[in-house]
Amino acid sequence: MTELNLDQKQDQKAEQKEAFEAWTADLQARMENVLDAHIPSADTLPTKLHEAMRYSVLGGGKRVRALLAYAAGEFCGAELATIDLPAASVELIHAFSLVHDDMPCMDDDELRRGKLSTHKKYGDAIALLVGDALQSLAFQLISQDKLLKNATQKLQMLHVLALASGSRGMAGGQAIDLESIGIPLTREELEQMHIHKTGALIRAAALLGAYSSHNANEDKIKAIDHFAKAIGLAFQVVDDILDAEADTQTLGKTAGKDAQHNKSTYVTILGLSAAKQLASELHANAMAALSYYGREADLLRQLAHFIMHRSF
């Protein structure tokens, strides 16, 4: 009987994994279509800028932030269509950050998502404008979203995205990163940098999904916020581990860049084994934030597992 139950549990896990992978593929394709529909076509003036915007956003990426928005939104009872543009707005901000991050004045990387970085293909000036335009488009999508009929709801979303993108969020974290090149950081200093640089936008993605619901439960929003803070930091720890362990082809960007630029990472500060332990602890914290909830939180749990065990 015990052996049969074990087999049943294994079958159940396999079914859950298959269902999650199907959900992920469906939502990634959905997000690609949403982005494709809202980024101006390559034959719209100015054509080179719009071509470069589409090159920078479409046809690649894990869409983790969009998936977080969808999972959090479904958890709070939002309809998929209502989550589409808020989720797309976060993807646009993320893409803008990658375009600028790859430029020679920043991390100076020639590869992104397995192809030439935007500045390598279109030049520095166009890459700079691509980032600017994608950032503007992100806020345009939320402000013009006809499915978000509550003005207070829109303002709340715009505030969340602006805070996560600016000097108190992602841009601020990037500034700290640049100032810290060659300077050994403490674990606390590194954590503060990544709470801003990586964690803020991941947290915003989850909150935008939650706020897409017209009657989101306050307790669920708090749970999502705690979950996203923990998994956002875990995402960066895993990123540092992958930068140390994976190769360029797998990552789709140049492997070992942090070591080449003499940057402090969780691996350089803690060591590989301790960094992996920290990632596991953060994952456990994220799971604890959802412990009150049943199967309605399974997508968030599975997404956290994906973030922890991804290979790129």
Side-chain angles (χ1 to χ4, degrees), residues 17 27 61 91 94 142 145 158 163 185 200:
K17 181 181 179 182
L27 270 296
E91 282 295 319
H94 179 53
I142 292 178
D145 192 343
L158 291 168
L163 193 62
L185 298 180

Side-chain angles (χ1 to χ4, degrees), residues 236-257:
Q236 183 59 53
V237 178
V238 172
D239 224 40
D240 287 355
I241 293 168
L242 289 173
D243 189 69
E245 288 191 325
D247 56 38
T248 296
Q249 184 175 0
T250 302
L251 291 176
K253 59 182 179 180
T254 306
K257 289 285 288 186

Side-chain angles (χ1 to χ4, degrees), residues 88 109 121 146 287:
D109 206 323
K121 185 171 179 65
K146 295 180 181 178
M287 293 300 96

